[in-house]
Amino acid sequence: MGVDGCGQLCKCILILFNSLFAIVGLGMVGLGLGLRLSSETRGLFDVELKTQQFVIFVVVLIILGSLMLIVSICGFHGACNENRSSLGIFAILLAIMAGVEIGAGVLVFMRSDEVSQDIANVYASLYAQFVNNRDASIGTTLRIFHKVFDCCGIGGVLEPLVRDTCPDKGFWGALSTSACPSVIVNLFQDKAPLIMGFFLANSALMIVALACYALLAKAIKESRHAFPITYSGPKIF
């Protein structure tokens, strides 16, 4: 017999949480593989140029996205089938990710200068590759950068080369658009506490999911004790 009450609510929350996790993870893996396997960027992984930050960025995208997919699959299976083993694996992996998220937030706060410069270097590598090759995967990544940081290329309002990947804000809005490298550096230096808060908020959501796991696992255990599975084999006279 299935769980009810609080257990059922936690089950629904975990299904929703894992749905969002799977969508984000799939998007990260797809974007990372697109950048890794693109004929225009493949050479960056084979030569020692000023592309170390770009390579790390792509590898982190693929690894983190894959881990999110594994977590979501275990969570889905555990929540939908009320399987405590799958839920246990989900909880362990999610706890590790929450810890890493907290560590990343503290690291960004303490080393905001270095982190901001590394991200600016990643953007510069992507920009140069897109200008040279107009690769679709790189264009998608640039659009994400431009949307998140509300910037445009390296020329800002005068940007002529990647204007099609910049946010469409109209004529007057475009006049206030800044160049991305300076925006990235200033954002991480000036708003490091806010960025750390973003990481901590994400880990708090993971902790809420862990709390739901604990309540659901307890409800599953209680429901099985209340309605034990009995075996009715053939009767021997």
Side-chain angles (χ1 to χ4, degrees), residues 41 44 72 116 126 149:
T41 60
L44 297 177
S72 62
S116 62
L126 291 168
F149 293 102

Side-chain angles (χ1 to χ4, degrees), residues 2 5 11-12 22-23 25-26 30 35 37 39 43 56 60 78 98 100 108 118 131 157 165 167-168 190 209 217:
K11 180 177 179 178
C12 294
I23 292 171
L26 188 61
L35 293 171
L37 301 177
S39 59
I56 293 174
V60 168
V100 170
V108 168
D118 286 341
V131 169
V157 64
T165 65
D168 185 10
D190 298 341

